[in-house]
Amino acid sequence: MLASRSLYAALPSQVKQDKSSFAGKADHAIRIEPCTLEISPGVNIQTLAYNGQVPGPLLRLREGVPVTIDVTNSSQNADLVHWHGLAIDSLNDGAMEEGSPMIAVGETHRYSFTPKPSGTRWYHTHAAAYDNLAMGTYTGQFGFLLIEGREQPARYDKEINLAIHHWGPSFVPMVETMREQSSNMPLTTGSDVGYKYATINSHRLGAGEPIRVKHGERVLMRLLNASATENVVLALPGHKFTIMAMDGNPVPNPKSVEVLSLAVAERVDAIVEMNSPGVWVLGSTLAKEREMGLGIVIEYAGKTGTPMWTDPAPEIWDYTQFANASASPHTPDEIFELTFRDFGPKPGSKFDTWTINKRSWPDIDPLMVQQGKRYRLVFRNGSGDQHPMHLHRHTFEVTRIGKTKISGLMKDVINVMPLDTVEVEFVANNPGDTLMHCHQQLHMDYGFMQLIKYSV
């Protein structure tokens, strides 16, 4: 554990912001504070949250309109907020690896930026947790960040924001347990985190109010996987999800599916046509996860009774169905080949160390890019785990999944399956230090990160 803490020793620490920068009242205010969350009758979670609620306050911002957000740290540890999916400067991005300052206990920090691009983004803590599973994204520090542009993704009658989270984390050494209750389905043995409970928004399945709909409504569901380490697979029996956007970006080929997959940090905007009256469960396709609470009741007007669930037909999640079937017409200026592997735990640690090309953060050289050029990142997963790869401050185009070439699918998180290869390309159009990492908290804490730096 002592060795693990050294990973962040050379990074910006608890910086007090010059109060002269606090000109006038901020547009929004967020407080990081302890919260007791009753996720079902008699089941209380002690966690950290934003403004005492989970998810945190819904932030609706206008694309291109400057905004200020004051964040006050009323917790017991330094922390910071990452504005996930925004093309903003490194200082305000909210990642200490890029130079964003940690917010000291009792201090208020003002974030100032111009939000872009439009779409479903989110905000969350970017603090390390290591083996303290009451820190980082294991907590309730997350919220929806909707950047409104000129165009709507589709016509709809009602919008619903649904954030998935897992609670009660603990060390789980046996992969067999993970296979029973997790959609991650690791191929190899090793250390991992398991959970007691799961929620959609602030309640377990059957607790809280149902989502009430009317026959014939078109409902826009914004779904966010805000879990620390758990990927999820969801279904709503009797209905289909028409996928309109991924990670806030419109997909080239909107398509209806019965089952959708959300890796950690991914978002999906889907239109669901309410054409099957009844009382249904929207939830995990795994019975064990539904028992943990991963679901919510959908109730049609005038309908009562026990919520219904039927198992969907087995379906393999395929990103390529939402993309153009043609290869990207662009040629990258440079290609970076990156191989991910698990090298087991270091002495004194419960959890495994992760490497990119046999190097772990912070002992890893940055990838150097030049402004205006196009780069291909070849993600080679040499491990038995799934890895949701996230690129800060940029949006990338997915250009290959396995052997299939595609184009037009723009994302900021892509899930790389065990022993698979995925290729993405991005344009270096936002100068400043940029972090790339696996979004599983457990993996990034133990080395799975690398910086991209712009050449001067």
Side-chain angles (χ1 to χ4, degrees):
M1 182 58 194
L2 292 177
S4 299
R5 292 197 183 280
S6 67
L7 294 178
Y8 289 89
L11 294 170
S13 57
Q14 305 174 31
V15 176
K16 291 187 178 182
Q17 196 172 31
D18 182 359
K19 294 300 188 291
S20 64
S21 64
F22 285 42
K25 184 180 178 181
D27 299 304
H28 301 275
I30 291 172
R31 181 180 296 274
I32 304 168
E33 59 188 0
C35 170
T36 299
L37 188 67
E38 187 177 42
I39 59 175
S40 59
V43 179
N44 294 301
I45 300 294
Q46 305 296 326
T47 189
L48 292 172
Y50 296 137
N51 294 7
Q53 66 183 76
V54 176
L58 171 64
L59 298 181
R60 288 185 181 271
L61 309 179
R62 293 291 299 172
E63 183 180 23
V65 178
V67 67
T68 55
I69 304 173
D70 281 352
V71 177
T72 300
N73 185 3
S74 296
S75 73
Q76 296 182 344
N77 296 281
D79 215 316
L80 76 175
V81 177
H82 169 50
W83 313 98
H84 184 121
L86 298 190
I88 58 178
D89 62 286
S90 300
L91 190 64
N92 283 286
D93 188 48
M96 56 187 173
E97 298 83 4
E98 298 173 349
S100 303
M102 298 294 288
I103 307 171
V105 174
E107 291 295 315
T108 297
H109 181 82
R110 175 162 292 184
Y111 291 93
S112 301
F113 54 84
T114 299
K116 62 177 183 179
S118 62
T120 302
R121 315 298 165 183
W122 66 302
Y123 64 102
H124 60 85
T125 177
H126 213 280
Y130 302 112
D131 60 4
N132 182 351
L133 304 185
M135 295 288 294
T137 53
Y138 299 108
T139 71
Q141 293 179 80
F142 59 88
F144 280 92
L145 176 64
L146 306 183
I147 311 302
E148 297 180 334
R150 293 182 178 180
E151 297 182 4
Q152 295 292 338
R155 180 186 65 79
Y156 57 88
D157 302 304
K158 176 183 291 187
E159 59 180 345
I160 301 170
N161 302 321
L162 302 172
I164 295 152
H165 196 70
H166 290 74
W167 305 95
S170 63
F171 172 64
V172 178
M174 296 302 294
V175 72
E176 288 78 10
T177 303
M178 295 300 295
R179 284 182 179 147
E180 277 188 28
Q181 64 188 32
S182 168
S183 295
N184 292 18
M185 299 183 66
L187 298 178
T188 55
T189 58
S191 58
D192 219 317
V193 172
Y195 299 86
K196 292 179 65 177
Y197 309 113
T199 59
I200 292 183
N201 291 343
S202 58
H203 291 98
R204 298 171 69 199
L205 177 60
E209 293 294 313
I211 296 173
R212 295 184 172 87
V213 300
K214 296 178 180 178
H215 189 198
E217 278 187 327
R218 287 169 57 88
V219 177
L220 171 62
M221 292 188 180
R222 297 189 185 93
L223 297 124
L224 157 67
N225 185 352
S227 288
T229 63
E230 283 295 289
N231 301 333
V232 297
V233 180
L234 304 173
L236 174 57
H239 302 77
K240 289 188 175 183
F241 304 94
T242 301
I243 309 298
M244 306 302 299
M246 290 184 168
D247 296 347
N249 308 302
V251 299
N253 184 31
K255 187 174 181 180
S256 295
V257 294
E258 291 186 358
V259 174
L260 64 83
S261 176
L262 281 173
V264 173
E266 284 190 309
R267 290 87 66 210
V268 161
D269 291 8
I271 295 291
V272 181
E273 295 190 9
M274 294 301 163
N275 52 16
S276 186
V279 183
W280 300 94
V281 171
L282 164 60
S284 171
T285 58
L286 294 178
K288 287 282 187 180
E289 278 204 314
R290 293 197 305 279
E291 291 170 11
M292 291 166 59
L294 209 173
I296 193 167
V297 175
I298 307 290
E299 179 183 283
Y300 278 75
K303 299 297 180 179
T304 59
T306 302
M308 293 182 289
W309 173 267
T310 55
D311 289 328
E315 189 171 327
I316 297 175
W317 183 248
D318 182 7
Y319 288 111
T320 66
Q321 64 188 317
F322 308 106
N324 296 321
S326 57
S328 172
H330 305 291
T331 301
D333 295 291
E334 190 172 351
I335 299 172
F336 296 111
E337 298 199 11
L338 308 168
T339 300
F340 315 141
R341 293 190 186 279
D342 173 2
F343 273 80
K346 288 184 177 180
S349 172
K350 292 180 180 179
F351 298 112
D352 297 347
T353 297
W354 290 91
T355 63
I356 302 174
N357 292 350
K358 300 182 179 180
R359 304 281 294 276
S360 289
W361 178 270
D363 183 27
I364 183 169
D365 295 330
L367 303 178
M368 301 303 299
V369 300
Q370 295 180 20
Q371 186 173 356
K373 290 191 174 182
R374 186 179 182 89
Y375 295 86
R376 178 181 298 164
L377 303 174
V378 181
F379 296 142
R380 299 189 187 281
N381 187 355
S383 78
D385 282 33
Q386 300 180 34
H387 297 297
M389 296 300 299
H390 173 43
L391 181 63
H392 282 230
R393 306 179 55 250
H394 299 74
T395 299
F396 54 70
E397 180 181 15
V398 184
T399 55
R400 184 193 290 260
I401 303 284
K403 295 181 180 180
T404 305
K405 293 183 178 181
I406 57 175
S407 61
L409 184 63
M410 307 302 293
K411 297 185 95 276
D412 58 55
V413 177
I414 186 74
N415 195 31
V416 186
M417 297 299 286
L419 307 179
D420 202 0
T421 297
V422 169
E423 296 181 3
V424 304
E425 297 181 10
F426 74 99
V427 176
N429 56 8
N430 191 18
D433 287 358
T434 300
L435 188 63
M436 176 190 68
H437 62 90
C438 175
H439 214 287
Q440 289 200 33
Q441 180 84 49
L442 187 63
H443 295 175
M444 62 183 292
D445 282 347
Y446 289 92
F448 204 151
M449 296 192 291
Q450 187 170 19
L451 273 179
I452 296 173
K453 283 182 172 285
Y454 281 72
S455 301
V456 178

